[in-house]
Amino acid sequence: MPLYEYNCRDCSAEFELLVRGDEKPHCPECDSAKLEKLLSVTASPQGGTGDLPMSRSLPGGGGCGKPQCGSGGCMM
């Protein structure tokens, strides 16, 4: 179920909606169906190091669980 960002063409409200199947989204402010889908920016990994979440070392093994990763970070 995708989460989309919209801008209402009638009242200029910007909001996110979870859209299921063939549902027709409406503005939560004015109930208008005249919406423009906005381009969303993807989330980046937290921590600011640029590492992917799988590359962190986990207790008792490699980051991704593959034997070749050993006890350090993932080496995919």
Side-chain angles (χ1 to χ4, degrees):
M1 290 175 264
L3 184 66
Y4 293 110
E5 292 183 46
Y6 291 96
N7 179 291
C8 178
R9 292 183 182 164
D10 284 344
C11 73
S12 300
E14 289 191 8
F15 52 92
E16 294 179 343
L17 283 178
L18 181 65
V19 180
R20 300 174 188 185
D22 293 333
E23 285 183 352
K24 301 293 181 194
H26 288 82
C27 176
E29 298 291 324
C30 70
D31 203 38
S32 173
K34 297 178 186 174
L35 305 177
E36 175 184 12
K37 194 182 292 186
L38 301 176
L39 182 62
S40 299
V41 178
T42 58
S44 63
Q46 294 181 357
T49 62
D51 292 338
L52 294 174
M54 285 195 306
S55 66
R56 296 191 186 116
S57 184
L58 299 175
C64 71
K66 292 185 178 180
Q68 64 266 33
C69 291
S71 62
C74 183
M75 304 168 94
M76 294 189 335

